[in-house]
Amino acid sequence: MPHDDVHPVSLTCGDCPIRHRAVCARCDVDEIEELEDIKYYRSFEAGQTVVWAGDKMDFVASVVSGIATLTQTLEDGRTQMVGLLLPSDFVGRPGRSGAAYNVTATTNILMCCFRKKPFEEMMERTPHIAQRLLQMTLDELDAAREWMLLLGRKTAREKIASLLSIVARRDAPINHAAQTSEVTFDLPLTREAMADYLGLTLETVSRQISALKRDGVIVLEGKRHVSVPDMDRLLMEAGDDSDGGFLI
Amino acid sequence: MPHDDVHPVSLTCGDCPIRHRAVCARCDVDEIEELEDIKYYRSFEAGQTVVWAGDKMDFVASVVSGIATLTQTLEDGRTQMVGLLLPSDFVGRPGRSGAAYNVTATTNILMCCFRKKPFEEMMERTPHIAQRLLQMTLDELDAAREWMLLLGRKTAREKIASLLSIVARRDAPINHAAQTSEVTFDLPLTREAMADYLGLTLETVSRQISALKRDGVIVLEGKRHVSVPDMDRLLMEAGDDSDGGFLI
DNA sequence: GTTTCGTCTTGATCTGTGTCAATTTCTCAC
DNA sequence: GTGAGAAATTGACACAGATCAAGACGAAAC
């Protein structure tokens, strides 16, 4: 099972050393034998849709590797991303059968799925699971609300800077922990996906990235690889107070 | 205790006839005697701040009467509302000590508070509570994400129409249930608060309301009282598909 | 190597919403 | 009733970001 360095704690085994937001594959196998028959793996290729909004979704899942997005759309095609699923993130809603959003793989992705009915039954029997899910959901709610501030009140430049600092934090936690002021990472999203996340057009995204590059806030190698010489400067551009919170 | 017609089901007594999202005052007294000593009431006047973002918040609470808002701000004063608390709504976060947002009373308000520590202990002992809180939090997350679509992609006119149809739904459920196509309600918010909710300026809010009035979508009596002659028309203006979801 | 196709950048122009400012309308105290 | 302050409306103008359009770049196929 693909499960290299990352070892996120499972919902179902709360005393793993590393705390993370996930239902974890390996962990479950070790600890909860009954999960064996309600769990299965599915992989999707970049660009594939995992579920459409409104479709029946009879599982919950956690991302093992790759990246997926949650999006909502209006009839005329305007789309807004409302969530970004990175490895170890959880998706699905116990207690509701229909999916509320489109879930799309932006890279090749492997998901660890749990059939919903048995998962819910397990939740009934194991209070710890509901409590853990509650914590995770509250975290996501905070992230969503932080995102509302971004969508409603930030300028295009601030939006881009915010997104970059969030990706920097999630994508390069090692750099960050080491207090290196130079941080480096790959953008996991196309310009269009960034635009959908930020409530902008892809042209504006491109222009603002160019502007940040011109002003020395970031350094680009190719289109996707980003270096941030001074993380504090980027955070300042993002307009957040102090440590910028806990987005995504 | 002020608890007139509304009788929302409590987190702590799950088999009340009417299902609603709340920790309910009367209900608790009837059913859970041990709650008596962890529960107390607080009232605030219109305009008063209940808690500031970052302050210690040693209670969770439910709104008994009145309206409060959750807001976030940037250093330079730009503010974005991220939640609207109507009677029976729950506020506070088990498992975290600091408040994440400013909570402000927009009308006189009465809140039923529970000291956090004992509430959390009760959650430990009573699995049902965590499950109920999880449902509520998932609902709020859905609402927040619907709101992200509004903030990121809707026009000013669509934003106003969306807000009006949401208030109509929550404020005049009787009208709506009766299938009367004419719906009537009072706006519980100032133009400025509406602007903060919608990511607009108060001038734009005012202009768009005037435009909707001019176009016959709504009828105003005074500044706050709204009649909607044709609810379907309003929903169309809001740009939502079919039934518009489950905002706020 | 060349071609092709998707992604990205950049330019020119347009427009929706913000900004600034002047009135008007409400509400409530007196 | 009158006056004062808050809330809301309306107008004129500016500008950030959208739209439309043309190219540049990069990766994969041949």
Side-chain angles (χ1 to χ4, degrees):
Chain A
M1 270 332 42
H3 207 292
D4 29 69
D5 271 341
V6 193
H7 184 218
V9 73
S10 163
L11 280 173
T12 52
C13 71
D15 26 37
C16 283
I18 302 169
R19 295 235 141 239
H20 211 143
R21 312 163 41 205
V23 175
C24 142
R26 188 171 68 195
C27 203
D28 293 336
V29 177
D30 293 350
E31 309 280 340
I32 312 275
E33 60 279 38
E34 71 179 314
L35 276 180
E36 272 306 303
D37 57 324
I38 73 168
K39 187 184 69 184
Y40 55 96
Y41 290 89
R42 293 180 71 184
S43 61
F44 298 88
E45 289 177 19
Q48 256 190 306
T49 296
V50 178
V51 279
W52 292 102
D55 281 4
K56 205 176 96 182
M57 185 170 166
D58 54 1
F59 62 95
V60 297
S62 108
V63 177
V64 177
S65 65
I67 293 176
T69 63
L70 306 182
T71 58
Q72 279 190 312
T73 64
L74 298 168
E75 297 95 329
D76 62 7
R78 284 174 284 175
T79 92
Q80 174 67 49
M81 200 185 297
V82 296
L84 189 58
L85 298 174
L86 302 183
S88 87
D89 278 332
F90 183 82
V91 61
R93 169 152 183 175
R96 176 178 299 175
S97 59
Y101 326 101
N102 302 317
V103 181
T104 312
T106 58
T107 65
N108 292 346
I109 187 173
L110 180 66
M111 303 185 76
C112 175
C113 304
F114 302 84
R115 291 193 295 120
K116 181 172 287 173
K117 195 77 183 306
F119 186 86
E120 283 166 359
E121 286 161 9
M122 189 177 66
M123 246 179 73
E124 290 282 334
R125 288 194 306 276
T126 324
H128 180 241
I129 295 182
Q131 284 164 31
R132 183 88 187 92
L133 264 181
L134 176 58
Q135 289 307 321
M136 290 167 52
T137 308
L138 284 165
D139 285 343
E140 282 189 75
L141 183 57
D142 282 336
R145 284 172 163 168
E146 192 89 16
W147 210 255
M148 287 169 68
L149 175 63
L150 177 146
L151 290 170
R153 295 303 188 191
K154 287 191 178 178
T155 65
R157 174 183 263 242
E158 288 170 333
K159 287 179 176 181
I160 297 289
S162 298
L163 178 56
L164 291 177
S165 52
I166 290 156
V167 174
R169 194 161 313 193
R170 287 243 359 197
D171 209 51
I174 308 95
N175 286 344
H176 190 254
Q179 291 294 94
T180 330
S181 75
E182 166 110 4
V183 178
T184 282
F185 56 91
D186 282 306
L187 280 173
L189 301 172
T190 65
R191 299 293 186 259
E192 186 181 23
M194 294 174 69
D196 284 344
Y197 210 157
L198 300 171
L200 298 170
T201 59
L202 69 91
E203 292 95 329
T204 299
V205 169
S206 182
R207 271 186 256 271
Q208 294 297 335
I209 288 180
S210 298
L212 288 174
K213 186 171 115 190
R214 187 162 50 247
D215 298 347
V217 181
I218 59 173
V219 178
L220 283 183
E221 292 166 42
K223 306 297 183 184
R224 297 294 194 88
H225 193 77
V226 180
S227 297
V228 181
D230 180 357
M231 200 59 198
D232 290 338
R233 171 77 193 283
L234 183 64
L235 287 172
M236 213 198 64
E237 292 280 357
D240 287 324
D241 23 25
S242 56
D243 83 331
F246 30 104
L247 290 167
I248 297 193
Chain B
M1 276 318 54
H3 205 293
D4 30 69
D5 269 340
V6 192
H7 184 219
V9 74
S10 163
L11 280 171
T12 53
C13 71
D15 26 36
C16 283
I18 302 168
R19 295 236 142 240
H20 211 144
R21 312 164 41 204
V23 175
C24 142
R26 188 171 68 196
C27 203
D28 293 336
V29 178
D30 291 351
E31 310 279 341
I32 311 275
E33 61 277 40
E34 71 178 315
L35 277 181
E36 272 307 302
D37 57 325
I38 72 167
K39 186 183 71 184
Y40 56 97
Y41 290 89
R42 293 180 71 185
S43 60
F44 298 87
E45 289 177 20
Q48 257 191 306
T49 296
V50 178
V51 279
W52 292 102
D55 281 4
K56 205 176 95 182
M57 184 169 166
D58 54 1
F59 61 95
V60 297
S62 107
V63 177
V64 177
S65 65
I67 294 176
T69 63
L70 306 182
T71 58
Q72 280 191 310
T73 64
L74 298 168
E75 295 96 329
D76 61 8
R78 283 175 285 175
T79 93
Q80 174 67 48
M81 199 184 297
V82 295
L84 188 58
L85 298 174
L86 301 184
S88 88
D89 277 334
F90 183 83
V91 60
R93 172 153 180 175
R96 175 178 300 175
S97 58
Y101 326 101
N102 301 317
V103 181
T104 313
T106 57
T107 64
N108 291 345
I109 187 173
L110 179 68
M111 303 185 74
C112 174
C113 304
F114 300 86
R115 291 193 295 119
K116 182 174 284 171
K117 194 77 186 304
F119 186 86
E120 283 167 358
E121 285 161 10
M122 190 177 65
M123 247 179 72
E124 290 282 333
R125 289 193 306 277
T126 323
H128 180 240
I129 296 183
Q131 283 165 30
R132 184 87 188 93
L133 265 181
L134 176 59
Q135 290 306 321
M136 289 167 52
T137 308
L138 284 164
D139 285 342
E140 282 189 75
L141 183 57
D142 282 336
R145 284 172 164 168
E146 192 90 14
W147 210 256
M148 287 170 67
L149 174 63
L150 176 145
L151 290 170
R153 294 303 188 192
K154 287 190 180 179
T155 65
R157 173 182 262 244
E158 288 169 334
K159 287 179 177 182
I160 298 288
S162 298
L163 179 55
L164 291 177
S165 52
I166 288 155
V167 174
R169 195 160 314 193
R170 285 238 4 195
D171 210 50
I174 309 97
N175 287 342
H176 190 254
Q179 293 293 94
T180 330
S181 75
E182 166 109 5
V183 178
T184 282
F185 56 92
D186 282 306
L187 281 173
L189 300 172
T190 65
R191 300 292 187 260
E192 187 182 23
M194 293 174 69
D196 284 344
Y197 209 157
L198 300 172
L200 298 170
T201 61
L202 70 90
E203 292 95 330
T204 299
V205 169
S206 182
R207 272 187 255 271
Q208 295 298 334
I209 288 180
S210 298
L212 289 174
K213 187 170 114 190
R214 188 162 48 248
D215 299 348
V217 181
I218 58 173
V219 178
L220 283 184
E221 292 166 42
K223 306 298 185 187
R224 298 292 195 88
H225 193 78
V226 180
S227 297
V228 182
D230 180 358
M231 199 60 198
D232 290 337
R233 172 78 193 283
L234 183 64
L235 287 171
M236 214 198 65
E237 292 281 356
D240 287 323
D241 23 26
S242 55
D243 82 330
F246 31 105
L247 290 168
I248 297 194

PDB file of all heavy atoms in Angstrom, chain A residues 126-138:
ATOM      1  N   THR A 126     -18.568   3.719  18.045  1.00  0.00           N
ATOM      2  CA  THR A 126     -17.279   4.230  18.505  1.00  0.00           C
ATOM      3  C   THR A 126     -17.325   5.744  18.638  1.00  0.00           C
ATOM      4  O   THR A 126     -17.078   6.465  17.678  1.00  0.00           O
ATOM      5  CB  THR A 126     -16.164   3.842  17.497  1.00  0.00           C
ATOM      6  OG1 THR A 126     -16.434   2.548  16.974  1.00  0.00           O
ATOM      7  CG2 THR A 126     -14.809   3.889  18.144  1.00  0.00           C
ATOM      8  N   PRO A 127     -17.670   6.223  19.825  1.00  0.00           N
ATOM      9  CA  PRO A 127     -17.863   7.664  20.019  1.00  0.00           C
ATOM     10  C   PRO A 127     -16.644   8.476  19.609  1.00  0.00           C
ATOM     11  O   PRO A 127     -16.760   9.593  19.130  1.00  0.00           O
ATOM     12  CB  PRO A 127     -18.080   7.795  21.524  1.00  0.00           C
ATOM     13  CG  PRO A 127     -18.370   6.445  22.026  1.00  0.00           C
ATOM     14  CD  PRO A 127     -17.811   5.462  21.062  1.00  0.00           C
ATOM     15  N   HIS A 128     -15.496   7.871  19.779  1.00  0.00           N
ATOM     16  CA  HIS A 128     -14.268   8.591  19.473  1.00  0.00           C
ATOM     17  C   HIS A 128     -14.243   9.094  18.036  1.00  0.00           C
ATOM     18  O   HIS A 128     -13.718  10.169  17.726  1.00  0.00           O
ATOM     19  CB  HIS A 128     -13.064   7.676  19.721  1.00  0.00           C
ATOM     20  CG  HIS A 128     -11.772   8.333  19.428  1.00  0.00           C
ATOM     21  ND1 HIS A 128     -10.896   7.879  18.483  1.00  0.00           N
ATOM     22  CD2 HIS A 128     -11.222   9.453  19.940  1.00  0.00           C
ATOM     23  CE1 HIS A 128      -9.850   8.677  18.436  1.00  0.00           C
ATOM     24  NE2 HIS A 128     -10.014   9.639  19.311  1.00  0.00           N
ATOM     25  N   ILE A 129     -14.819   8.336  17.129  1.00  0.00           N
ATOM     26  CA  ILE A 129     -14.804   8.714  15.718  1.00  0.00           C
ATOM     27  C   ILE A 129     -15.574  10.001  15.479  1.00  0.00           C
ATOM     28  O   ILE A 129     -15.101  10.912  14.804  1.00  0.00           O
ATOM     29  CB  ILE A 129     -15.391   7.593  14.846  1.00  0.00           C
ATOM     30  CG1 ILE A 129     -14.496   6.359  14.935  1.00  0.00           C
ATOM     31  CG2 ILE A 129     -15.517   8.045  13.408  1.00  0.00           C
ATOM     32  CD1 ILE A 129     -14.967   5.223  14.080  1.00  0.00           C
ATOM     33  N   ALA A 130     -16.767  10.091  16.055  1.00  0.00           N
ATOM     34  CA  ALA A 130     -17.567  11.304  15.866  1.00  0.00           C
ATOM     35  C   ALA A 130     -16.834  12.505  16.420  1.00  0.00           C
ATOM     36  O   ALA A 130     -16.834  13.580  15.826  1.00  0.00           O
ATOM     37  CB  ALA A 130     -18.924  11.145  16.529  1.00  0.00           C
ATOM     38  N   GLN A 131     -16.166  12.306  17.555  1.00  0.00           N
ATOM     39  CA  GLN A 131     -15.440  13.428  18.152  1.00  0.00           C
ATOM     40  C   GLN A 131     -14.290  13.877  17.260  1.00  0.00           C
ATOM     41  O   GLN A 131     -14.056  15.071  17.082  1.00  0.00           O
ATOM     42  CB  GLN A 131     -14.927  13.052  19.537  1.00  0.00           C
ATOM     43  CG  GLN A 131     -16.031  13.059  20.585  1.00  0.00           C
ATOM     44  CD  GLN A 131     -15.644  12.340  21.856  1.00  0.00           C
ATOM     45  OE1 GLN A 131     -14.482  12.315  22.246  1.00  0.00           O
ATOM     46  NE2 GLN A 131     -16.624  11.732  22.507  1.00  0.00           N
ATOM     47  N   ARG A 132     -13.590  12.903  16.696  1.00  0.00           N
ATOM     48  CA  ARG A 132     -12.480  13.250  15.810  1.00  0.00           C
ATOM     49  C   ARG A 132     -13.003  13.946  14.546  1.00  0.00           C
ATOM     50  O   ARG A 132     -12.470  14.955  14.109  1.00  0.00           O
ATOM     51  CB  ARG A 132     -11.715  11.975  15.430  1.00  0.00           C
ATOM     52  CG  ARG A 132     -10.506  12.204  14.582  1.00  0.00           C
ATOM     53  CD  ARG A 132      -9.271  12.463  15.424  1.00  0.00           C
ATOM     54  NE  ARG A 132      -8.152  12.834  14.565  1.00  0.00           N
ATOM     55  CZ  ARG A 132      -7.862  14.093  14.265  1.00  0.00           C
ATOM     56  NH1 ARG A 132      -8.565  15.076  14.768  1.00  0.00           N
ATOM     57  NH2 ARG A 132      -6.852  14.363  13.468  1.00  0.00           N
ATOM     58  N   LEU A 133     -14.058  13.389  13.977  1.00  0.00           N
ATOM     59  CA  LEU A 133     -14.666  14.001  12.785  1.00  0.00           C
ATOM     60  C   LEU A 133     -15.134  15.412  13.097  1.00  0.00           C
ATOM     61  O   LEU A 133     -15.023  16.315  12.262  1.00  0.00           O
ATOM     62  CB  LEU A 133     -15.843  13.162  12.300  1.00  0.00           C
ATOM     63  CG  LEU A 133     -15.579  12.162  11.186  1.00  0.00           C
ATOM     64  CD1 LEU A 133     -16.869  11.443  10.808  1.00  0.00           C
ATOM     65  CD2 LEU A 133     -15.010  12.863   9.958  1.00  0.00           C
ATOM     66  N   LEU A 134     -15.654  15.607  14.277  1.00  0.00           N
ATOM     67  CA  LEU A 134     -16.116  16.938  14.668  1.00  0.00           C
ATOM     68  C   LEU A 134     -14.956  17.921  14.672  1.00  0.00           C
ATOM     69  O   LEU A 134     -15.053  19.022  14.128  1.00  0.00           O
ATOM     70  CB  LEU A 134     -16.774  16.884  16.052  1.00  0.00           C
ATOM     71  CG  LEU A 134     -17.226  18.217  16.643  1.00  0.00           C
ATOM     72  CD1 LEU A 134     -18.218  18.918  15.727  1.00  0.00           C
ATOM     73  CD2 LEU A 134     -17.824  18.021  18.027  1.00  0.00           C
ATOM     74  N   GLN A 135     -13.832  17.518  15.250  1.00  0.00           N
ATOM     75  CA  GLN A 135     -12.658  18.395  15.238  1.00  0.00           C
ATOM     76  C   GLN A 135     -12.259  18.746  13.813  1.00  0.00           C
ATOM     77  O   GLN A 135     -11.994  19.904  13.478  1.00  0.00           O
ATOM     78  CB  GLN A 135     -11.468  17.705  15.941  1.00  0.00           C
ATOM     79  CG  GLN A 135     -11.609  17.573  17.444  1.00  0.00           C
ATOM     80  CD  GLN A 135     -11.908  18.899  18.123  1.00  0.00           C
ATOM     81  OE1 GLN A 135     -11.364  19.929  17.749  1.00  0.00           O
ATOM     82  NE2 GLN A 135     -12.797  18.881  19.099  1.00  0.00           N
ATOM     83  N   MET A 136     -12.213  17.722  12.955  1.00  0.00           N
ATOM     84  CA  MET A 136     -11.802  17.952  11.574  1.00  0.00           C
ATOM     85  C   MET A 136     -12.759  18.901  10.868  1.00  0.00           C
ATOM     86  O   MET A 136     -12.351  19.792  10.130  1.00  0.00           O
ATOM     87  CB  MET A 136     -11.751  16.618  10.827  1.00  0.00           C
ATOM     88  CG  MET A 136     -10.616  15.717  11.265  1.00  0.00           C
ATOM     89  SD  MET A 136     -10.814  14.028  10.637  1.00  0.00           S
ATOM     90  CE  MET A 136     -11.059  14.361   8.906  1.00  0.00           C
ATOM     91  N   THR A 137     -14.050  18.705  11.109  1.00  0.00           N
ATOM     92  CA  THR A 137     -15.048  19.535  10.443  1.00  0.00           C
ATOM     93  C   THR A 137     -14.983  20.969  10.927  1.00  0.00           C
ATOM     94  O   THR A 137     -15.120  21.910  10.152  1.00  0.00           O
ATOM     95  CB  THR A 137     -16.449  18.948  10.678  1.00  0.00           C
ATOM     96  OG1 THR A 137     -16.442  17.577  10.309  1.00  0.00           O
ATOM     97  CG2 THR A 137     -17.481  19.669   9.830  1.00  0.00           C
ATOM     98  N   LEU A 138     -14.740  21.143  12.216  1.00  0.00           N
ATOM     99  CA  LEU A 138     -14.584  22.491  12.754  1.00  0.00           C
ATOM    100  C   LEU A 138     -13.370  23.182  12.135  1.00  0.00           C
ATOM    101  O   LEU A 138     -13.411  24.366  11.819  1.00  0.00           O
ATOM    102  CB  LEU A 138     -14.453  22.443  14.278  1.00  0.00           C
ATOM    103  CG  LEU A 138     -15.760  22.197  15.036  1.00  0.00           C
ATOM    104  CD1 LEU A 138     -15.483  21.810  16.482  1.00  0.00           C
ATOM    105  CD2 LEU A 138     -16.654  23.431  15.000  1.00  0.00           C
TER     106      LEU A 138
END
